[in-house]
Amino acid sequence: MKNLKYFPFERNRYFYGKLLTVDDFETEQKYMNDKRRMINRFLMGTGVVCGMNVVRVDDTTISVEMGMALDFSGREIVIEAPMIKRLSMIEGFDSNFDENSNYMYLCLEYAEKEKEPVHSITSTNVRRADEVEHNKYMENYRLFLTSQEPENEGFTIANFYQDTKTVYWGNGLRIKQTIPRYIQTGDTFEMTVVVENMGQQQPISFDYDLILTCVQNKGQHHLRVHFDEKEHAKAGRYQLRYELDAMSVVDTQGVVAVQPDSFVLTIGEREVSARAQCENVTDIIAGNAKRELMKRYYNGAMEDIVKNTFQQSIYLAKIAVIRAASTYVIENIETMPFKQFVFNNSLAAALNDIEIDEMERLQISGGAGFSTGGANISSVDDPAKGIQIIATGSVVLDLGIGGAAGQCFYSETITHGLGLGPVHISLAQAQSVSEDSDLFYGSPDIFRPDDQVPQVSLAARVNVKSGTFQIGAKMLAASSVRRLKVNWTALRDPKESMKEVVMRRIFVKPDVANIEVRETCYFEAAFVNMPETLIKWSVKEENGGSINANGMYTAPNIPGVYEIIAESTNTPPVKASTYVVVRDSKPEEA
């Protein structure tokens, strides 16, 4: 049963008097197997379902624990008992044991073996009557070692939401660059550069430049990547992280590309001649990235799965070895380097239970509770408008060994959760830190409390630009109490909340323009919740071209990405911006 395709589905039609041949029985088996394997592949996925952990037994021996996996064609692979083997006895060791690499991958594939030899009682065109046939197939597996990574990483889960490309591979060094596949317009995202030292003994350093299209790094359309192994603790793998910002464009692609001839590689003290190339692409979208991932997966999953009928292994472990002449020592083992796991229903149910328990613990009467800035917070929405107008919480101030008269204590910054703008903060001093203690609004000395209640004056400072506030307490008299609990209530006028809903805005159309150098295009402004007004047009970059009062933009001679700004003449003014991508003109055909 070595077929790698499911279709077409054919099954036997039985009737009285039908002569059953070998072909009929094979058709029966193929139909049942293909149906089951298709369900495995489409519903479950590819990878390890459970077990198959790889551990080091001694310096030269490994153990593969019992477990189950599904291969790329939906076939079940079962290791029914732990298998202990010397690394040198595994297939592929000799061909991959060389000085160019200090690690190997342990891979697993589905395999079948013929068993129970019997004598055939009939002759065929292929075999003689006295030849031996085998009565059964035993479903088995094949373990082997390789130094090659999978050519197609489409089977990994990360491929669905990340775009990973190799920048450089050689001289015992590999550099890979990763960005998300989908980014919401205007969002900040992370680019990761992974550096792997694959046996290079001398220190490595490199630099290269990236050209950014429709994405920015600190407002710039270029980024310098620098790495020096001497600046890091010695390891085989290093990770660099850079924050990038998606521009305010929609339904276009952001590109992070290595600038040609910018790669400089130094090994030891010697500069090495090397070239690097890489182009990562992300889709900048208006909607939610998770929804976009789901939509594209369902649109393309059938085609992607059916067309991938070539052999794809399951990578169980990455094994680092130290060579010494013809001998070796296993240094360490990294299990499942490409995270080829099958997320089954039992695990999903367990994680769902944990998530529900966490939500129940956080839930507070009147709204969903959360913790920030050391405060427990709950909120209430206006049911008529669906707008959050009230938030409550508490914070405990640490008074040390007690406060002296006139001494001030402050809380951490607290996010009230009512959005930006003015809010009213009401404060109450608790008699103790327990949940059922009395609360004092105003001055507590009016009620002549005992000495356990410190005499304090409370105040709050609201930051309307960030939606946060801070609580301060001033000691009116010395106290030996070490902790002071303050309950707070944040109130927001619904009218203020509605201002955000009906906020005046303008949009510039088109969202992004793609033109060649010295070409022109026209921009226009659309008004939301405000009357049409005159627009003052400008180009942010000094040499980014020109735009007249009517929105007619003329591109410069230099390719690049330039920001177009539209500003209303109202007081206060309302601004918006868009981007234009200027490219080199295409060469004329001869």
Side-chain angles (χ1 to χ4, degrees), residues 487-548:
N487 283 26
W488 57 265
T489 302
L491 301 173
R492 182 168 190 173
D493 188 342
K495 294 179 181 178
E496 291 291 336
S497 299
M498 289 303 295
K499 288 181 181 179
E500 291 188 355
V501 179
V502 296
M503 183 175 58
R504 299 180 304 157
R505 290 177 292 174
I506 59 175
F507 294 97
V508 180
K509 299 186 296 185
D511 292 323
V512 63
N514 288 273
I515 61 175
E516 296 181 0
V517 293
R518 297 183 296 278
E519 281 190 343
T520 60
C521 66
Y522 178 73
F523 290 94
E524 61 176 325
F527 300 85
V528 178
N529 297 321
M530 62 180 293
E532 293 189 8
T533 62
L534 292 177
I535 293 295
K536 178 182 176 183
W537 297 95
S538 61
V539 182
K540 182 179 180 180
E541 291 75 15
E542 183 177 352
N543 299 315
S546 60
I547 188 168
N548 63 22

Side-chain angles (χ1 to χ4, degrees), residues 138-341:
M138 182 178 71
E139 295 189 345
N140 210 315
Y141 56 89
R142 169 184 171 235
L143 282 173
F144 64 96
L145 294 167
T146 179
S147 59
Q148 298 297 316
E149 291 195 359
E151 295 181 4
N152 175 26
E153 294 187 12
F155 59 83
T156 62
I157 296 175
N159 184 69
F160 291 126
Y161 60 89
Q162 290 180 339
D163 180 53
T164 300
K165 297 290 174 59
T166 298
V167 177
Y168 175 78
W169 195 344
N171 290 295
L173 169 70
R174 181 175 58 190
I175 308 168
K176 297 170 74 174
Q177 199 166 268
T178 300
I179 65 173
R181 286 195 177 274
Y182 311 106
I183 299 296
Q184 196 165 356
T185 177
D187 274 3
T188 298
F189 65 96
E190 189 174 75
M191 180 188 76
T192 304
V193 178
V194 175
V195 183
E196 291 184 274
N197 187 330
M198 301 185 295
Q200 181 57 249
Q201 301 301 316
Q202 301 184 68
I204 299 168
S205 66
F206 62 82
D207 294 272
Y208 63 88
D209 293 321
L210 292 174
I211 302 173
L212 310 179
T213 303
C214 293
V215 297
Q216 294 179 331
N217 172 253
K218 299 178 180 178
Q220 303 295 320
H221 290 282
H222 57 83
L223 172 63
R224 182 77 166 174
V225 176
H226 167 77
F227 173 79
D228 189 341
E229 197 170 19
K230 296 178 181 177
E231 300 173 357
H232 302 264
K234 185 68 175 178
R237 181 185 177 95
Y238 309 90
Q239 195 169 74
L240 312 176
R241 300 178 184 274
Y242 299 89
E243 278 197 353
L244 303 179
D245 298 308
M247 293 186 179
S248 299
V249 295
V250 179
D251 296 331
T252 189
Q253 290 186 326
V255 180
V256 179
V258 174
Q259 182 173 324
D261 302 323
S262 69
F263 186 68
V264 179
L265 174 63
T266 303
I267 299 178
E269 302 298 329
R270 179 174 58 91
E271 185 173 313
V272 178
S273 176
R275 293 180 60 85
Q277 62 180 29
C278 173
E279 184 176 280
N280 292 99
V281 178
T282 182
D283 289 339
I284 302 176
I285 58 177
N288 184 277
K290 292 182 180 179
R291 291 186 182 275
E292 187 69 18
L293 168 62
M294 291 177 61
K295 183 181 75 173
R296 299 199 184 187
Y297 173 80
Y298 285 121
N299 287 345
M302 177 72 174
E303 179 183 357
D304 293 339
I305 293 173
V306 171
K307 72 182 180 183
N308 289 334
T309 58
F310 55 89
Q311 186 69 35
Q312 301 170 38
S313 305
I314 297 175
Y315 283 67
L316 295 181
K318 180 179 180 180
I319 304 174
V321 294
I322 300 175
R323 297 182 300 272
S326 60
T327 63
Y328 67 94
V329 173
I330 298 174
E331 184 178 16
N332 62 68
I333 297 176
E334 177 189 351
T335 59
M336 301 303 293
F338 299 103
K339 310 302 180 188
Q340 293 168 271
F341 293 106

